[in-house]
Amino acid sequence: MAGYTENELAKDLADKEYQYGFISEIDSDVVPAGLNEQVIHLISAKKNEPAWLLDYRLKAFEVWKTMTEPEWAHVAYQKPDFQAISYYAAPKQTKKFESWDEVDPEMKETMAKLGISLEEQQRLTGVAVDFVMDSVSVGTSFKAKLAELGIIFCSFSEAVQEHPALVKQYLGTVVPTTDNFYAALNSAVFSDGSFCYIPKGVRCPMELSTYFRINAGGTGQFERTLVIADESSYVSYLEGCTAPQRDENQLHAAVVELIALNKAEIKYSTVQNWYPGDKEGKGGIFNFVTKRGLCEAHAKISWTQVETGSAVTWKYPSCILKGDYSVGEFFSVAVTNNYQQADTGTKMIHLGKHTKSTIISKGISAGHSQNSYRGLVQIHKQADHARNFSQCDSLLMGSICGAHTFPYIECKNASAQIEHEATTSKIGEDQLFYCQQRGISEEKAISLIVNGYCKEVLNQLPMEFAVEAQKLLSISLEGSVG
Amino acid sequence: MLKITDLHASINGTEILKGLSLEIKAGEIHAIMGPNGAGKSTLASVLAGKEDYEVTSGTITFEDQDLLEMSIEERAREGVFLAFQYPVEIPGVSNVNFLKTAINEIREHKGIPALSAKDFLRLVKEKSALVDLDASLASRAVNEGFSGGEKKRNEIFQMAMLEPKLAVLDETDSGLDIDALRIVARGVNTLKSANNATLVITHYQRLLDHIIPDFVHVLYDGKIVKTGGKELALALEEKGYDWIKSAE
């Protein structure tokens, strides 16, 4: 057998085509391209929103106009032309479905290609899926069962109509409209998303799951997610994303806000597999997302993410540890390949006493990609006895990719305890040889080694998701052997 | 089982093996001894198919097949096993998962159905006892945090699990204390059968007190310069390698 070098491996990785590249032909109701006050009025009117929400959007738009795009991230890309984007696309079929049979067969097929047959999931896994396709939720299941417990899990638009008081109370409290350029944009034009409320003392009996999917060409996706866990409640929330193959770059600027009240716990897991662009770096999703959670006393928020897609990722799921004894966690696997660029990490803001945070970040770079970890650990003056542990590991495949670590630590309290560990390694020829000498094929060996490397993070994912994430990692590496 | 004829191999343009010939039959234990730099580990690597080494001429047949035409994993699946001098660590991959993958790849190659979890675990229990390997080591990541002795015992444990036809032990005795040496030797001796063969590569004679070879070969400057019975190892131990060098 000819010698297989890392360069060849890198080349093979580059040759792998995006597996979810298909386009659904569903009639979309698309607002003309461009962004101005009329468009915002139009979006708000189409969604039949109350005046306060229109007002919220318009204020955000005013703020956005004064802002400029952030440039500090270690990414380089052609900035989107915000006047060339259509800010709203809803599948034309807007009537509510009485039963699953009524749903457009093509839409079902789309889901089947994603491997998430709703029926299957409902029946076999007990996962309630809120499927978002081009911004409008089409299937919310298990609602009745959740309702018995007082749990609200619905599309954001529905929440605005049915639970306006809750939305009004919490919207923008963790990520204010003024937070950053993309958050302001999202606040002005968000189309739909998910809303979740867990009442006091309730432990949500199932994983709540939403699949996001960008479908219509040239439409940005501006998701808005709001999860509120009331005192002493618990919820595990899963978010999965895939997008069809397209040539032009598509913008995704979501905002996710989590609120964990006293003694509540939120576990938020993401598997993101959007189109990363082709092997020349053409096309692909721009993923500029603001995710943040607020912890009151003794509350806990845990972010777990497996990021394998998107052309450019700019994402820092963060925790504001406001309450005493609150806990924040961040577990991340970010894979970049070809010309993908990822600048991702977390912010742990310690405000309360005895607050604790853990950061485990695993980066895997292949091809020409650039993979950066950027994290901030901030201990405020009053945060006595705060503790943080950070571990950032990078795995390199080939010699033309890059891995970077930008840890920021700001500590204003002497009683804090902060640890940071970082490693960079290459997939060892010796490790591969060892596996092959035991009869394991090179492809399986790479998959074994990579999964082993990510294990601490994959272990954090709920079972169904962990299996999917492992598959995704394998798919990412598929065909990597000649 | 294995026939090496006039083998020449080099690394980065430097010739290490310079016309090595060796024949090993089923049921036999061969030992290769030699001073540092003689080419002992090169021979092990070439047999396993490590790609850093270039075979410039000569042939190796294994079970009537051209070994040099086979990939690393094909050789392994056909029954060539290398106990590494320096076993690598694979973080996050449990020994059990690693071996299960290996066994099932080998079984698939042979057209046998995969081993059930129950049968596999029974096998683990049985074989780990052979080398006194703590059951907890089986569930830990491959070689991660293992002591030198544990790594070597783990190699023999893997060998027991995979049941190769030809086992090549590359300086398995290096870095072992006498107790670990005995355990390793016991494992190898227990696994010996009329259908398999073992090639023990070692610098020192002491391992051969425990694993009794049928033949001892002295490798010097890329060639086998002397072959004899187990008494040759004792003579070497007594007189040192200079004896071979001056005899040449």
Side-chain angles (χ1 to χ4, degrees):
Chain A
M1 192 183 114
Y4 188 76
T5 64
E6 281 194 35
N7 283 341
E8 283 167 306
L9 168 67
K11 185 183 165 294
D12 286 334
L13 280 174
D15 289 341
K16 191 187 71 63
E17 297 285 334
Y18 183 67
Q19 293 212 334
Y20 293 126
F22 50 87
I23 294 166
S24 295
E25 289 175 19
I26 298 171
D27 288 341
S28 282
D29 181 3
V30 180
V31 166
L35 182 55
N36 51 49
E37 281 187 17
Q38 277 79 40
V39 167
I40 291 167
H41 276 277
L42 190 65
I43 294 170
S44 194
K46 269 186 184 292
K47 303 179 79 62
N48 194 27
E49 287 176 353
W52 63 264
L53 193 51
L54 172 62
D55 200 41
Y56 177 87
R57 288 176 181 277
L58 290 171
K59 274 184 187 148
F61 179 60
E62 286 306 313
V63 172
W64 178 75
K65 281 195 289 189
T66 67
M67 297 173 111
T68 50
E69 285 178 76
E71 289 180 343
W72 42 261
H74 188 76
V75 293
Y77 58 94
Q78 176 87 47
K79 285 179 185 168
D81 176 355
F82 292 97
Q83 294 304 333
I85 295 171
S86 165
Y87 286 87
Y88 184 78
K92 261 189 180 161
Q93 191 180 30
T94 49
K95 76 180 176 89
K96 290 282 172 193
F97 304 111
E98 291 300 320
S99 77
W100 182 238
D101 298 337
E102 292 176 29
V103 175
D104 187 335
E106 192 168 346
M107 202 177 276
K108 282 184 183 172
E109 204 182 308
T110 304
M111 294 189 232
K113 280 185 199 164
L114 286 168
I116 53 150
S117 148
L118 258 186
E119 304 98 312
E120 215 46 27
Q121 291 225 359
Q122 288 175 353
R123 205 158 37 84
L124 295 176
T125 66
V127 173
V129 176
D130 180 13
F131 187 81
V132 177
M133 189 155 157
D134 280 302
S135 323
V136 171
S137 297
V138 289
T140 303
S141 44
F142 279 92
K143 215 173 194 174
K145 197 174 168 189
L146 293 173
E148 278 173 32
L149 294 163
I151 294 170
I152 304 167
F153 179 44
C154 61
S155 73
F156 198 89
S157 312
E158 200 179 329
V160 168
Q161 304 300 327
E162 308 289 330
H163 313 281
L166 274 173
V167 176
K168 197 174 175 185
Q169 186 183 347
Y170 289 105
L171 179 69
T173 56
V174 189
V175 181
T177 51
T178 52
D179 190 78
N180 69 69
F181 183 83
Y182 294 107
L185 180 63
N186 176 287
S187 300
V189 301
F190 67 85
S191 35
D192 208 337
S194 295
F195 177 85
C196 174
Y197 172 80
I198 315 291
K200 266 183 201 171
V202 170
R203 193 179 167 86
C204 185
M206 62 188 82
E207 318 275 357
L208 298 183
S209 170
T210 309
Y211 277 82
F212 295 101
R213 184 169 167 80
I214 301 175
N215 205 50
T219 56
Q221 177 123 341
F222 300 94
E223 290 289 338
R224 189 87 197 190
T225 302
L226 183 55
V227 178
I228 303 150
D230 212 328
E231 291 175 16
S232 305
S233 68
Y234 168 85
V235 64
S236 169
Y237 192 94
L238 319 180
E239 176 202 84
C241 330
T242 49
Q245 188 159 355
R246 290 208 184 275
D247 278 338
E248 77 259 52
N249 288 301
Q250 285 181 298
L251 175 64
H252 180 96
V255 171
V256 175
E257 294 178 282
L258 310 184
I259 292 130
L261 299 178
N262 291 348
K263 295 183 182 165
E265 181 177 349
I266 302 175
K267 199 172 157 60
Y268 194 101
S269 312
T270 306
V271 173
Q272 187 264 113
N273 182 35
W274 279 328
Y275 181 49
D278 66 15
K279 59 188 173 187
E280 270 84 46
K282 189 163 175 270
I285 301 291
F286 289 174
N287 191 19
F288 303 140
V289 177
T290 307
K291 289 184 167 176
R292 197 174 301 153
L294 178 78
C295 287
E296 297 287 356
H298 297 273
K300 179 177 173 181
I301 289 180
S302 183
W303 298 99
T304 304
Q305 59 173 23
V306 175
E307 302 276 322
T308 65
S310 296
V312 182
T313 298
W314 178 94
K315 180 181 166 185
Y316 315 90
S318 304
C319 298
I320 300 170
L321 302 172
K322 182 181 162 209
D324 295 347
Y325 296 95
S326 59
V327 176
E329 292 176 338
F330 175 73
F331 300 96
S332 170
V333 171
V335 183
T336 55
N337 194 359
N338 298 323
Y339 286 88
Q340 276 178 280
Q341 305 173 72
D343 194 301
T344 183
T346 185
K347 285 191 272 186
M348 292 293 174
I349 313 293
H350 291 254
L351 300 173
K353 296 176 179 38
H354 299 277
T355 47
K356 204 173 121 184
S357 63
T358 304
I359 300 170
I360 308 282
S361 165
K362 304 272 181 178
I364 301 168
S365 333
H368 292 80
S369 69
Q370 296 292 330
N371 201 326
S372 304
Y373 166 80
R374 185 183 303 275
L376 169 67
V377 175
Q378 200 177 56
I379 314 278
H380 283 247
K381 211 168 150 187
Q382 70 278 23
D384 294 335
H385 309 289
R387 278 163 62 193
N388 163 265
F389 173 77
S390 303
Q391 185 188 330
C392 309
D393 298 328
S394 305
L395 188 70
L396 298 165
M397 298 174 101
S399 51
I400 41 177
C401 52
H404 315 269
T405 305
F406 303 97
Y408 303 87
I409 297 169
E410 292 169 15
C411 184
K412 293 189 179 128
N413 186 310
S415 66
Q417 194 182 324
I418 302 171
E419 289 174 71
H420 182 91
E421 289 177 9
T423 66
T424 301
S425 55
K426 289 184 94 170
I427 274 215
E429 299 264 335
D430 287 348
Q431 287 175 330
L432 282 178
F433 179 60
Y434 191 79
C435 293
Q436 287 174 278
Q437 211 301 306
R438 298 298 183 249
I440 300 169
S441 67
E442 200 158 0
E443 195 166 315
K444 271 221 174 101
I446 290 172
S447 175
L448 258 185
I449 294 166
V450 168
N451 274 302
Y453 167 78
C454 301
K455 199 176 174 188
E456 285 164 281
V457 175
L458 297 178
N459 280 349
Q460 295 296 326
L461 290 170
M463 185 70 117
E464 316 83 297
F465 241 30
V467 172
E468 187 173 342
Q470 278 190 350
K471 268 195 229 155
L472 255 185
L473 285 175
S474 294
I475 288 172
S476 303
L477 302 161
E478 200 170 83
S480 60
V481 180
Chain B
M1 177 181 285
L2 181 78
K3 192 170 195 299
I4 305 174
T5 311
D6 195 25
L7 184 70
H8 291 255
S10 53
I11 183 164
N12 300 327
T14 307
E15 189 167 66
I16 308 286
L17 298 181
K18 304 169 180 173
L20 183 145
S21 297
L22 177 67
E23 187 169 359
I24 298 175
K25 295 196 174 74
E28 294 177 347
I29 295 179
H30 289 240
I32 288 197
M33 300 182 72
N36 289 330
K40 299 191 300 287
S41 285
T42 300
L43 176 62
S45 297
V46 169
L47 285 172
K50 195 163 170 54
E51 285 150 0
D52 304 342
Y53 295 89
E54 192 192 352
V55 174
T56 48
S57 70
T59 58
I60 305 177
T61 52
F62 174 69
E63 297 277 86
D64 301 322
Q65 295 185 75
D66 183 352
L67 193 75
L68 296 174
E69 281 299 303
M70 292 155 73
S71 68
I72 306 166
E73 57 265 37
E74 273 170 350
R75 297 176 195 209
R77 292 167 190 170
E78 287 291 325
V80 176
F81 180 91
L82 174 61
F84 284 76
Q85 185 177 359
Y86 304 109
V88 299
E89 300 185 0
I90 309 179
V93 179
S94 73
N95 238 339
V96 171
N97 186 19
F98 175 73
L99 273 172
K100 195 163 189 226
T101 308
I103 283 180
N104 286 334
E105 292 253 298
I106 292 169
R107 289 173 76 97
E108 194 184 326
H109 175 75
K110 291 180 176 163
I112 323 171
L115 209 56
S116 73
K118 196 177 144 207
D119 289 344
F120 176 77
L121 288 174
R122 209 184 50 214
L123 200 64
V124 167
K125 212 171 163 187
E126 179 194 325
K127 303 293 187 182
S128 56
L130 198 65
V131 284
D132 286 355
L133 200 68
D134 195 310
S136 70
L137 286 186
S139 53
R140 267 168 50 190
V142 179
N143 292 324
E144 198 183 28
F146 284 29
S147 70
E150 283 170 341
K151 283 183 183 174
K152 295 299 175 73
R153 276 190 281 156
N154 192 29
E155 292 293 287
I156 305 304
F157 165 59
Q158 291 184 16
M159 175 178 147
M161 291 291 288
L162 301 178
E163 297 177 335
K165 287 181 191 149
L166 174 69
V168 180
L169 311 185
D170 187 8
E171 309 232 4
T172 297
D173 51 332
S174 68
L176 286 191
D177 62 32
I178 190 69
D179 292 333
L181 195 72
R182 282 208 188 100
I183 292 167
V184 163
R186 190 184 68 206
V188 173
N189 290 329
T190 310
L191 295 168
K192 189 190 168 182
S193 81
N195 302 318
N196 62 27
T198 310
L199 178 60
V200 181
I201 292 174
T202 181
H203 189 76
Y204 300 104
Q205 186 269 340
R206 59 173 195 160
L207 180 62
L208 304 179
D209 286 341
H210 303 279
I211 302 174
I212 311 296
D214 299 300
F215 299 96
V216 173
H217 310 276
V218 180
L219 183 64
Y220 178 69
D221 194 24
K223 275 189 290 238
I224 285 173
V225 294
K226 204 167 178 64
T227 294
K230 64 180 188 222
E231 66 287 351
L232 179 57
L234 294 167
L236 271 175
E237 182 79 356
E238 196 184 316
K239 299 178 185 173
Y241 286 110
D242 285 341
W243 166 58
I244 298 293
K245 289 179 196 169
S246 55
E248 200 188 19

